[in-house]
Amino acid sequence: MKKIRNFCIIAHIDHGKSTLADRLLDFTGAVTEREKKAQLLDSMDLERERGITIKSHAIQMDYTYKGEEYTLNLIDTPGHVDFSYEVSRSIAACEGALLIVDAAQSIQAQTISNLYLALENDLEIIPILNKIDLPSANPEVVTDDIVDLLGCEPEEVLHASGKTGQGMEDILRAIIEIIPPPKGDPDGPLQALIFDSVYNTFRGIETYFKIVNGSIKKGQKIKFMATGKEYFADEVGTLNLTQTPKKEIKTGDVGYLITGIKTAVEVKVGDTIVDTISSNPEAIDGFEDVKPMVFAGIYPVDTEDYEELRSSMEKLQLNDASLVFIPESSAALGFGFRCGFLGMLHMEIVQERLEREFNMTVITTVPNVSYFAYTRRNPDEKILVNNPSDLPDPSGMDRVEEPYIKATIITKSDFVGNIMSLCIEKRGEITNQNYLTTERVELTFAMPLAEIVFDFYDRLKTVSKGYASFDYSPIGMRASKLVKVDILLNSQQVDALSSLIHVDNAYNIGKKMCEKLRQLIPRHQFDVPIQASIGAKIIARETIKALRKDVTAKCYGGDISRKRKLLEKQKKGKKRMRQVGNVEIPQEAFMSVLKLND
């Protein structure tokens, strides 16, 4: 145990976590020349294409320091705020963290929020200044920022470059000297914390765990505490670049377990693995339950694929524990699921993974957040509204409360005005303004979560030329004047396009939605009116003109009454068609509501 070090890498997006992890693997000889490639731990095609880390990835390295062999378990974590649940689970399996800061960009919002996560778990922090080889790097200034944030000495900040491999020896020395070995009782009863799991088509579910006490042997009978089910450990091993089977894994180590489980619901991230012979096993404190921020409906394009979609979602949930879903049905789209996501990027990634990994083509409805509604008849009873169609009748409603967040934005001082006007437009109230340096400002706002769901992050990046970094945390519910805006196509309400909007913005958004849908819905044989309404009151309207067949083409010359007769006949046909006709809505129409400002 004294020779084991478990650590994770935390940083803001694009500060060079995965590249630094690559250099550490090269330096310790964990990968051969043939296996080397950029972003080695990012195994998904999606991660490579976008250049972001979506999943935490664990890998074991061996390193000789002062003549002694050490085992280092590294977990590379995502940097985007939408995947912070992955980070919190990785932190629970570690004793130390490498805090990486880009020498050109300095400390950003996600750097601070990940740092607080690590400090809450009593992790040893090793500050590293990355990308010092860049011409735009400013090591002295950024080192001062890190010293102010952590309260450490300037010489404790290690200088490194993930690109050139500079400073790797110092980092490995610091990991061994500063990060403590794992604590635990090697002779006690088995206790292991599950921090991740993956679905393998051939071998069932692979469970990743960290042993807190005791040890786990191949063939041993074990029990998962949350479900109470017992299994045999068919294979245990460590996570090198490929899985390496072992006979036994001891206290403090990180490894994988295969038990041949086929049903996804039997494995829960944060659960404890214990020995079946333990008299009164205790569960380890896992991590708090995930709090979804954004809700949207996911429906199969063909209703017959509903069961297949369910099993795909369960398999995806194993690999992405922050995805939450329950079944629901919609009048327009049939049977599907109401899903909770941590943010818009998370929602986009889930949709893309369903299509790539499980060949499921899905329709995603307009995202929204959950509200509480109170009626006049029973003012103390709160009704949870996850979907605009759940909203009680407005005539008997007392009030609606919506979730508010504390938004922290760190930006250059040049963009403060632009960012303030954007946040005020989104109904935000400024609560604090703090100059970190003469150039960099930290702004804190109280804002409705519903306002950041749509296009806030994209617009923030635009108005700050990409310099602003953003992080948020929930601060409770507040009463607001909200109305339900419905969209009617050909006088039929489309419940998948309904949304709850603040009274002041309802007319504008209703009008923009109608205009956007007019561009996206193809023309039909009959006129299609698109209307936005609040209750029975129509607030905006656009019309898609009918495709018109030239029925008078065969009349050349002759009396006008012959043409009139043909046109009247066509008019009757169009009227009848409009009464029975169905309007086809393309998938882009559901997502277009998010991009109303484009």
Side-chain angles (χ1 to χ4, degrees):
M1 262 174 71
K2 296 230 164 36
K3 301 282 162 53
I4 296 174
R5 299 287 183 273
N6 299 323
F7 67 98
C8 59
I9 299 184
I10 54 176
H12 191 78
I13 319 155
D14 278 346
H15 279 205
K17 295 176 296 300
S18 300
T19 316
L20 197 88
D22 290 349
R23 293 296 79 76
L24 287 171
L25 294 173
D26 295 349
F27 196 83
T28 55
V31 289
T32 60
E33 280 296 328
R34 214 178 93 197
E35 292 165 331
K36 280 183 191 174
K37 58 180 176 182
Q39 285 174 268
L40 186 73
L41 296 179
D42 291 351
S43 50
M44 263 185 265
D45 294 343
L46 203 54
E47 291 179 311
R48 299 185 155 279
E49 281 167 29
R50 291 181 174 233
I52 56 174
T53 304
I54 294 168
K55 285 281 308 150
S56 296
H57 300 277
I59 191 165
Q60 193 172 81
M61 307 178 285
D62 293 316
Y63 183 62
T64 309
Y65 177 67
K66 291 186 178 172
E68 292 187 21
E69 270 294 316
Y70 285 88
T71 300
L72 312 177
N73 289 311
L74 149 72
I75 303 178
D76 178 25
T77 64
H80 197 282
V81 62
D82 279 15
F83 305 112
S84 54
Y85 190 60
E86 287 285 328
V87 182
S88 72
R89 290 173 15 222
S90 307
I91 283 174
C94 295
E95 282 79 39
L98 305 184
L99 179 75
I100 293 180
V101 179
D102 186 329
Q105 295 184 50
S106 189
I107 291 163
Q108 310 255 297
Q110 201 57 28
T111 317
I112 296 173
S113 77
N114 284 344
L115 171 69
Y116 287 151
L117 264 179
L119 291 173
E120 275 168 29
N121 285 273
D122 297 330
L123 263 60
E124 279 293 336
I125 309 288
I126 300 174
I128 296 171
L129 194 59
N130 195 19
K131 303 192 186 180
I132 56 164
D133 57 315
L134 287 181
S136 57
N138 200 342
E140 291 79 18
V141 174
V142 181
T143 303
D144 291 345
D145 292 350
I146 297 173
V147 169
D148 290 346
L149 178 69
L150 287 176
C152 61
E153 296 300 319
E155 42 289 353
E156 288 175 34
V157 180
L158 305 177
H159 288 212
S161 164
K163 198 173 179 182
T164 61
Q166 181 185 341
M168 291 306 121
E169 207 166 326
D170 296 340
I171 293 174
L172 288 161
R173 190 188 69 244
I175 289 167
I176 289 164
E177 289 181 356
I178 297 172
I179 296 174
K183 299 182 183 74
D185 178 7
D187 305 319
L190 168 67
Q191 267 188 317
L193 175 71
I194 298 175
F195 67 87
D196 206 353
S197 54
V198 181
Y199 186 79
N200 182 322
T201 326
F202 305 106
R203 311 186 68 183
I205 290 158
E206 298 169 0
T207 310
Y208 296 167
F209 59 85
K210 178 201 174 182
I211 297 191
V212 179
N213 291 312
S215 67
I216 188 165
K217 298 182 183 70
K218 185 181 174 177
Q220 182 177 341
K221 199 173 183 192
I222 51 156
K223 178 174 160 186
F224 285 16
M225 285 196 70
T227 55
K229 300 207 171 181
E230 298 181 359
Y231 310 95
F232 284 101
D234 298 339
E235 186 182 306
V236 293
T238 52
L239 298 155
N240 296 71
L241 195 56
T242 50
Q243 294 172 340
T244 314
K246 296 269 172 82
K247 289 229 169 41
E248 182 179 14
I249 296 183
K250 297 182 176 153
T251 307
D253 221 339
V254 172
Y256 73 93
L257 161 77
I258 295 174
T259 51
I261 304 172
K262 287 284 188 282
T263 35
V265 286
E266 291 180 27
V267 178
K268 288 187 167 55
V269 165
D271 193 4
T272 308
I273 305 172
V274 292
D275 202 325
T276 48
I277 53 175
S278 301
S279 50
N280 54 345
E282 283 182 25
I284 307 163
D285 289 341
F287 350 89
E288 74 272 15
D289 279 342
V290 56
K291 296 186 194 78
M293 292 285 186
V294 175
F295 295 87
I298 287 188
Y299 293 85
V301 171
D302 190 343
T303 327
E304 290 167 8
D305 296 338
Y306 174 71
E307 282 304 324
E308 202 179 322
L309 178 62
R310 178 195 286 275
S311 81
S312 303
M313 298 274 279
E314 282 174 356
K315 287 171 189 168
L316 187 60
Q317 194 179 31
L318 271 180
N319 197 257
D320 180 356
S322 48
L323 172 65
V324 183
F325 63 90
I326 51 165
E328 75 161 1
S329 63
S330 146
L333 300 168
F335 289 104
F337 296 96
R338 184 101 201 127
C339 305
F341 306 98
L342 295 183
M344 291 299 291
L345 177 69
H346 185 212
M347 175 176 135
E348 207 178 305
I349 296 290
V350 165
Q351 191 180 342
E352 207 158 324
R353 284 184 71 184
L354 279 171
E355 289 184 10
R356 286 187 185 206
E357 294 171 31
F358 303 100
N359 294 326
M360 292 298 310
T361 317
V362 293
I363 291 173
T364 315
T365 64
V366 181
N368 61 2
V369 297
S370 50
Y371 302 88
F372 287 136
Y374 296 84
T375 54
R376 287 201 193 98
R377 186 185 296 171
N378 199 346
D380 296 333
E381 183 198 356
K382 60 180 176 188
I383 302 159
L384 180 67
V385 180
N386 273 336
N387 197 334
S389 54
D390 302 342
L391 197 71
D393 180 29
S395 58
M397 206 159 56
D398 182 36
R399 66 185 189 282
V400 180
E401 289 185 351
E402 63 176 330
Y404 263 68
I405 55 158
K406 173 189 168 192
T408 308
I409 298 168
I410 296 180
T411 180
K412 283 193 164 183
S413 46
D414 314 358
F415 307 116
V416 170
N418 296 352
I419 289 171
M420 278 192 179
S421 41
L422 170 66
C423 292
I424 290 162
E425 180 197 325
K426 296 282 187 186
R427 298 193 284 134
E429 299 160 15
I430 188 155
T431 54
N432 195 5
Q433 181 175 352
N434 177 19
Y435 275 80
L436 302 169
T437 65
T438 49
E439 281 295 299
R440 299 175 68 247
V441 191
E442 181 182 38
L443 300 169
T444 314
F445 291 89
M447 289 176 76
L449 178 61
E451 294 288 346
I452 69 155
V453 165
F454 292 139
D455 55 354
F456 178 76
Y457 194 66
D458 296 345
R459 286 184 62 196
L460 176 69
K461 285 288 179 199
T462 311
V463 298
S464 66
K465 297 187 181 166
Y467 280 108
S469 59
F470 171 65
D471 188 39
Y472 59 85
S473 54
I475 53 170
M477 310 291 282
R478 295 189 190 176
S480 283
K481 283 187 174 177
L482 298 168
V483 288
K484 180 181 163 201
V485 175
D486 291 316
I487 298 291
L488 309 171
L489 287 180
N490 199 13
S491 309
Q492 299 286 318
Q493 185 185 326
V494 182
D495 57 352
L497 287 170
S498 299
S499 48
L500 283 174
I501 296 168
H502 194 265
V503 169
D504 301 347
N505 305 336
Y507 170 73
N508 264 340
I509 289 181
K511 191 169 183 297
K512 281 184 180 172
M513 277 164 91
C514 290
E515 285 167 2
K516 197 85 175 181
L517 289 170
R518 197 189 82 193
Q519 295 163 17
L520 287 167
I521 293 173
R523 288 170 73 185
H524 289 62
Q525 296 282 354
F526 50 92
D527 278 5
V528 178
I530 304 169
Q531 296 164 309
S533 73
I534 298 175
K537 184 185 174 190
I538 303 293
I539 56 169
R541 169 177 170 139
E542 293 284 334
T543 307
I544 301 171
K545 286 293 173 196
L547 285 166
R548 182 161 169 257
K549 185 182 173 188
D550 191 0
V551 287
T552 60
K554 60 185 177 188
C555 296
Y556 44 92
D559 188 39
I560 185 70
S561 58
R562 292 177 61 203
K563 288 187 179 178
R564 179 106 352 110
K565 192 173 159 190
L566 288 167
L567 288 168
E568 286 299 321
K569 192 175 167 190
Q570 184 189 34
K571 198 171 168 185
K572 277 183 191 164
K574 295 260 184 227
K575 191 176 176 184
R576 195 163 56 246
M577 211 187 284
R578 186 172 157 189
Q579 285 167 349
V580 296
N582 246 342
V583 181
E584 289 289 317
I585 310 173
Q587 159 69 15
E588 302 87 75
F590 292 105
M591 296 311 287
S592 69
V593 186
L594 311 182
K595 302 188 175 77
L596 290 177
N597 283 313
D598 290 4

